[in-house]
Amino acid sequence: MTDTTACVRELNLYRQYFDLVAAGTKTIEVRVKYPHLADLAAGETIRFRIKGTEETCEVKVVRVTEYTDFEALLHGEGPANVNPTATHDEQLANIRAIYPPEKEALGALAIEIGPL
């Protein structure tokens, strides 16, 4: 018997980024390549949640691309797709404030997302 249930991944997101995803203006989500995300694939659904709330937003995974670090990811994906409200340098600083160097060393994932 095969399981045909669609995979829905739940990920926390800060309010400022959640609002951009919900508005459809943030099309690339940045994550560290943690083991639980290593098999994330196009076609899956991500349910973003603002931590500590019931507020959610579901999106479809369009593509997942791995990069060696956040600098390479921003260069490859374009900063406007990651956060249209911040410059490249601001984004790099913000991402690195969330993920310390030992996390970045695991690799960076650019998750292209779109509406369901």
Side-chain angles (χ1 to χ4, degrees):
M1 182 163 65
T2 49
D3 183 4
T4 58
T5 306
C7 180
V8 177
R9 310 256 186 156
E10 284 222 10
L11 300 174
N12 289 319
L13 204 55
Y14 290 112
R15 162 65 71 188
Q16 65 189 29
Y17 304 120
F18 180 92
D19 290 342
L20 294 172
V21 168
T25 57
K26 176 178 173 56
T27 59
I28 300 292
E29 172 61 10
V30 176
R31 294 289 164 141
V32 166
K33 188 181 173 192
Y34 290 122
H36 74 278
L37 294 177
D39 63 344
L40 183 66
E44 290 187 50
T45 298
I46 295 175
R47 180 179 301 123
F48 287 115
R49 177 180 306 278
I50 299 172
K51 192 172 185 171
T53 76
E54 294 301 314
E55 197 168 352
T56 63
C57 174
E58 291 188 358
V59 296
K60 172 183 67 173
V61 176
V62 176
R63 168 183 60 86
V64 180
T65 303
E66 184 178 346
Y67 291 91
T68 55
D69 58 31
F70 299 132
E71 178 71 46
L73 185 150
L74 286 173
H75 179 73
E77 300 295 330
N81 296 317
V82 176
N83 181 351
T85 67
T87 68
H88 171 278
D89 291 343
E90 289 170 335
Q91 288 184 55
L92 191 57
N94 290 340
I95 294 167
R96 287 184 170 153
I98 296 168
Y99 298 113
E102 64 271 14
K103 299 294 186 187
E104 185 174 0
L106 297 172
L109 295 178
I111 305 166
E112 184 178 355
I113 55 176
L116 283 178

